[in-house]
Amino acid sequence: MSKTECFYDKVSSRSVGAVVFIFSLLLAIVGTIVLPVFGFFFALPLIIMAGFFVFAPDSKACRLLSAKKE
């Protein structure tokens, strides 16, 4: 794995997290309008999943590459 692959892996994970977060916010807004009490609970799992994507740690190979400064 090269440094560029690590960069693209990190960018793709963050962008997927951002898309899922935006979708969950839209779902929360629509769900709150349609079902005032339960609408947010439909979007809550997606918000948690978006957090996992955005704050995902690097893979072991990428951590080794970033630690090895040549």
Side-chain angles (χ1 to χ4, degrees):
M1 183 173 257
S2 67
K3 288 187 179 188
T4 57
E5 289 175 0
C6 289
F7 175 74
Y8 289 129
D9 184 40
K10 186 182 290 189
V11 169
S12 67
S13 175
R14 303 300 193 272
S15 61
V16 167
V19 168
V20 170
F21 184 70
I22 291 169
F23 180 71
S24 66
L25 286 179
L26 291 174
L27 183 67
I29 291 169
V30 171
T32 304
I33 292 171
V34 175
L35 298 169
V37 176
F38 299 109
F40 186 70
F41 293 113
F42 292 132
L44 189 62
L46 288 176
I47 292 172
I48 293 170
M49 186 174 71
F52 281 125
F53 275 116
V54 170
F55 298 114
D58 294 338
S59 65
K60 289 182 181 180
C62 289
R63 278 187 266 155
L64 285 173
L65 279 174
S66 65
K68 185 173 55 170
K69 304 269 181 171
E70 292 182 29

